Amino acid sequence: MATVLALSGSPSPTSRTTCLIERTATDLRAHGHHTRTLALRELPAAPLLAADTKDPAIARAVRLVAEADALVIGTPLYKAAYSGLLKTFLDLLPQHALTGRPVLPLATGGTPAHVLAIDYALRPVLTSLGAQVAQGWFVWDQHVATAPDGTTTLDAATGHALDRITGQFAEHLAPSTLAAA
Amino acid sequence: MATVLALSGSPSPTSRTTCLIERTATDLRAHGHHTRTLALRELPAAPLLAADTKDPAIARAVRLVAEADALVIGTPLYKAAYSGLLKTFLDLLPQHALTGRPVLPLATGGTPAHVLAIDYALRPVLTSLGAQVAQGWFVWDQHVATAPDGTTTLDAATGHALDRITGQFAEHLAPSTLAAA
Amino acid sequence: MATVLALSGSPSPTSRTTCLIERTATDLRAHGHHTRTLALRELPAAPLLAADTKDPAIARAVRLVAEADALVIGTPLYKAAYSGLLKTFLDLLPQHALTGRPVLPLATGGTPAHVLAIDYALRPVLTSLGAQVAQGWFVWDQHVATAPDGTTTLDAATGHALDRITGQFAEHLAPSTLAAA
Amino acid sequence: MATVLALSGSPSPTSRTTCLIERTATDLRAHGHHTRTLALRELPAAPLLAADTKDPAIARAVRLVAEADALVIGTPLYKAAYSGLLKTFLDLLPQHALTGRPVLPLATGGTPAHVLAIDYALRPVLTSLGAQVAQGWFVWDQHVATAPDGTTTLDAATGHALDRITGQFAEHLAPSTLAAA
């Protein structure tokens, strides 16, 4: 059983990315893993941008990463890459913060034309942190409905696809965790 | 004569990137261009991360971009890419904010091994905003001295190289600006 | 008036890429430029792969690049990047073969999900050769019809879009060429 | 025990890349794995460039990939990316040819400034083929001596580093292979 940190890099309060992250966390628990979640948008802005790791909330977020056996990292795609919010947080982590840690990257975007940003933009950054990055998954914004109250819901086909992806990642975690033990 | 915005994406108060940006602005003025500078770290953190373009300081920064004929964009390289601070600001610009605008990308970093981040990470993002991105320039941290009081100075060879790069960019601006007039 | 080399990196005899390249060459001539074309698949395979620039056909191809004021470079997208055929040819050019030369990148592909390969894969390689790479253009395979005899035709909307892109590139060439004269 | 294909994408007969590949294959055998090697430069040029998978030598090379449990893929870095020879071969593989297969990427280059090409250029292509790409390794040309007769030798420190990298990959193969069995 692994402890997985599900991290959302969306700056938006009604976020498709956060919707994916929560579904994934639920799936991982169903596979017997512990999960914790971290919404980067809830971190205090000034110490985050100043990389002030002495701030208690920032320090706690860094600790959540350090204590995780694996991570799910979700981001909206803006300007052909990951969100600035996500990169701002990754920037303040130690250089080898994700060494040997499996990471499942998830992205949402307004156009399928930006799918490759997962592999050409996000993956190299996670690799530079030492992560073992799994095949990622992209969800087109159109497949996540947003209700007037801000609630977001995946459509059925997208939900099933995400369950399958998460299931593969969950199974992949078991031997890694044993190997690392 | 063009109006050039020299923008620093460094979160650090004693910044090598800002040192480059200031030298470049001086060079551009010597070539007869108008310059304005924008240090992203001085923008208010909470509205910046929330992409609140109604905040007066954020709105002014967006306007500086809109009014520029060309830009110099400097960033430190962290985790094999541009700073999260820079990307956070680029994220809140309109999708075509840099269309047709010449942009000179400059980067500083602790290892020459990260030089390609200019072309593989920063350039695609600037291209997605519509910019005409010039050949960029990388400066190794070792070539910028930091005095105890935080003052930064380029070494002579690096300074001359930067003057040459900026000179080429300055000459390139003239016909573009006329063509656009 | 500029001399533009229109280069196709498709290995296929009935190529959508070549169709784009020919339309672009026609457009450039209509704008008063000279054009030459180069189909990389017609080069002799063994000296091409061995980077044998003494082979007469390879030497002629390298000379076509050297004599061009600007280039249009077309490639199919395979495995999330440009064709191996195109890269094999670019590999044997001198390191600064495209310095200061405007290049218009065009790509065709079976899925719009690979659009970003132009900016994340092709552009950095062209930039390393010194090119001034213009905004590129992607054409989805579905928008190029292939007749039973192998003839390829762009659909009307795609043709008009390509004419517009080529027109912008053609106008952009004029001042560059004058400036270089 | 896994069957590992060690593949060299260098077009050169006296190749630093091939030197790395052979050392890695020796290391993997010392860890109890089976190895096979494939030098892409020995494949027949015309059918390779034409993606003619019916050619017997090409068909055999494709079969070597299909039969491998894991791969080591070595390439020289040219023009800020992998060799055209390597990409030409990857282009003719089935779209999911490397699905679930661990791949160790190795690169050689004339400048450490191109290290990131492993993560920004090669890794996305291997990922698009479905590979589980391990942390890669770059060797600067200066660390591989070439004797007058064309023999290549790694210097001691580089050899030890490569042994360590290969050792990690070898250990990583064991559980994956069991899991897949």
Side-chain angles (χ1 to χ4, degrees), chain B:
Chain B
M1 191 188 310
T3 297
V4 185
L5 179 64
L7 181 160
S8 168
S10 172
S12 166
T14 62
S15 164
R16 293 175 179 89
T17 301
T18 304
C19 175
L20 290 195
I21 284 295
E22 286 170 1
R23 170 82 166 236
T24 304
T26 304
D27 284 351
L28 288 168
R29 284 192 296 273
H31 280 85
H33 296 296
H34 287 302
T35 63
R36 290 166 164 190
T37 57
L38 175 59
L40 297 181
R41 64 179 294 277
E42 295 174 2
L43 294 176
L48 176 58
L49 277 174
D52 177 6
T53 53
K54 288 180 189 150
D55 175 273
I58 303 295
R60 181 181 164 277
V62 172
R63 206 164 51 234
L64 284 175
V65 172
E67 292 171 359
D69 297 312
L71 294 92
V72 181
I73 295 184
T75 183
L77 299 180
Y78 298 143
K79 310 300 179 340
Y82 41 75
S83 73
L85 173 61
L86 174 58
K87 185 59 165 54
T88 299
F89 179 68
L90 297 177
D91 283 354
L92 60 71
L93 295 178
Q95 187 61 57
H96 301 289
L98 303 181
T99 295
R101 238 77 69 72
V103 173
L104 173 63
L106 301 176
T108 57
T111 164
H114 283 184
V115 172
L116 283 181
I118 296 178
D119 288 329
Y120 275 109
L122 180 55
R123 186 178 295 271
V125 169
L126 298 175
T127 299
S128 89
L129 285 156
Q132 293 175 347
V133 189
Q135 293 281 335
W137 193 251
F138 171 83
V139 174
W140 193 7
D141 285 354
Q142 297 195 355
H143 296 151
V144 191
T146 307
D149 68 349
T151 318
T152 47
T153 324
L154 292 179
D155 69 25
T158 301
H160 292 146
L162 191 64
D163 294 346
R164 187 176 50 79
I165 295 289
T166 310
Q168 288 173 354
F169 188 67
E171 284 166 30
H172 173 68
L173 291 183
S176 293
T177 314
L178 289 175

Side-chain angles (χ1 to χ4, degrees), chain C residues 43 52-65 89 92:
Chain C
L43 294 176
D52 177 6
T53 52
K54 288 178 190 152
D55 175 90
I58 303 295
R60 180 180 164 275
V62 172
R63 209 164 49 235
L64 284 176
V65 172
F89 180 69
L92 61 71

Side-chain angles (χ1 to χ4, degrees), chain A residues 79-81 112-117 120-121, chain C residues 79-81 112-117 120-121:
Chain A
K79 311 299 180 338
H114 284 184
V115 171
L116 282 181
Y120 275 109
Chain C
K79 309 299 180 340
H114 284 183
V115 172
L116 283 181
Y120 275 109

